[in-house]
């Protein structure tokens, strides 16, 4: 496995891949866990050459967010990527990715107005801009994204269609801890009590699938009540929307629906979701 830190080297190794081979890209911010590794494994199964990018992208963090303290451990990541049989790690510095003040950004409207787009202004412009840079640098045939960040998947798919990027987006299932908590690099921020109470997110979402709810309001109220049983939980949002359009819905009627939550435990903001595809939620 090769490790490169410059755009020039990344392009060089990419150019050496024969044109008959398929290139897969897995964009990450590092501090790898099984969720990331599942993306690499899927890429490994489907592609001849697997590129992993590790870059904590400052432009997708708000001013008071955790860019500085975001967990980083490149040595460990490199070992895990090697074990997962990645072919190339692209691990640029901030200066390499943003050598001069950025006057060009990629902004996706409408589907970024709700959920994390509403709570984190500018976040998806940062994400879309860095992902389009990565697509231009690596020119992958396929790119792998986790449904843990389901709004991100919708945003990137929209961008790829709107701007004619020649890449197939592959959405991958959420990987969870044994007790249901969605794996996240940010889980290390949680203290023992917060970690234990954080299991309520998945429990609440799972419980939705066992009830015969007919309206988005009913679902939202139910999930809020469940989450609020945990004293350390502070809800940022609970929303039930059409997926991937993220349009508001009233009744549940055969469309694909996402129930998405963002909840703070102390200074840690966790997100989770379930996508319901059945005609009825039952
Ligand atoms: P991040 O490093 O948090 O930016 O995540 C990089 C990629 O891994 C994104 O496409 C995430 O959606 C995906 N990812 C993160 N956590 C999980 C998880 N628990 N299950 C599946 N994919 C995940």
């Amino acid at each position: 496995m090769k490790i490169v830190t410059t755009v020039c080297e990344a392009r060089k190794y990419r150019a050496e891949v024969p044109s008959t081979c398929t290139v897969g890209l897995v964009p990450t911010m590092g501090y790898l866990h099984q969720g990331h590794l599942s993306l690499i494994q899927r890429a490994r199964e489907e592609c001849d050459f697997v590129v992993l990018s590790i870059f904590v992208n400052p432009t997708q963090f708000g001013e008071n967010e955790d860019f500085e303290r975001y967990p980083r451990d490149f040595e460990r990541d490199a070992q895990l990527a090697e074990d997962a049989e990645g072919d190339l790690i692209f691990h640029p510095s901030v200066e390499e990715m943003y050598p001069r003040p950025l006057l060009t950004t990629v902004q996706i409207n409408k589907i970024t107005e709700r959920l994390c787009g509403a709570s984190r202004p500018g976040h998806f412009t940062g994400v879309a801009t860095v992902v389009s840079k990565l697509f231009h640098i690596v020119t992958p045939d396929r790119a792998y994204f986790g449904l843990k960040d389901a709004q991100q998947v919708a945003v990137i798919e929209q961008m790829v269609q709107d701007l004619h990027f020649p890449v197939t987006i592959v959405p991958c299932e959420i990987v969870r801890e044994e007790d249901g908590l969605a794996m996240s690099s940010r889980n290390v921020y949680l203290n023992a009590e917060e970690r234990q109470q954080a299991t309520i997110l998945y429990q609440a979402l799972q419980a939705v699938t066992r009830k015969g709810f007919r309206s988005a309001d009913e679902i939202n109220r139910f999930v809020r009540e469940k989450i609020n049983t945990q004293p350390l939980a502070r809800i940022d949002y609970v929303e039930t929307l059409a997926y991937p359009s993220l349009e508001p819905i009233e009744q549940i009627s055969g469309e694909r629906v996402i129930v998405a939550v963002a909840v703070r435990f102390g200074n840690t903001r966790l997100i989770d979701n379930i996508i319901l595809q059945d005609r009825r939620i039952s």
Side-chain angles (χ1 to χ4, degrees), residues 107-121 124 151 155 237 239 241 245-248:
Q107 183 180 318
I108 290 95
N109 300 315
K110 204 162 171 211
I111 52 175
T112 56
E113 283 168 9
R114 293 177 165 270
L115 307 179
C116 291
S119 319
R120 305 181 68 189
F124 285 113
Q151 187 174 20
V155 166
Y237 63 70
E239 289 199 67
L241 303 168
S245 71
L246 302 181
E247 301 263 13

Side-chain angles (χ1 to χ4, degrees), residues 68-79:
E68 296 294 341
R69 70 178 188 124
Y70 194 85
R72 294 161 169 91
D73 187 346
F74 182 71
E75 295 305 312
R76 181 173 159 277
D77 287 349
Q79 189 57 56

Side-chain angles (χ1 to χ4, degrees), residues 36-103:
H36 299 115
L37 297 178
S38 73
L39 270 49
I40 302 174
Q41 279 151 13
R42 176 90 181 263
R44 184 72 283 165
E45 284 162 23
E46 298 179 353
C47 305
D48 302 303
F49 191 81
V50 175
V51 183
L52 172 70
S53 63
I54 298 183
F55 179 59
V56 184
N57 173 38
T59 67
Q60 71 190 67
F61 288 79
E63 278 204 356
N64 298 316
E65 292 185 356
D66 56 344
F67 172 69
E68 296 294 341
R69 70 178 188 124
Y70 194 85
R72 294 161 169 91
D73 187 346
F74 182 71
E75 295 305 312
R76 181 173 159 277
D77 287 349
Q79 189 57 56
L80 288 169
E82 171 115 59
D83 296 346
E85 296 179 31
D87 294 302
L88 177 67
I89 297 184
F90 177 46
H91 178 52
S93 64
V94 172
E95 295 69 34
E96 181 68 16
M97 286 300 271
Y98 299 105
R100 62 190 73 82
L102 197 64
L103 301 183

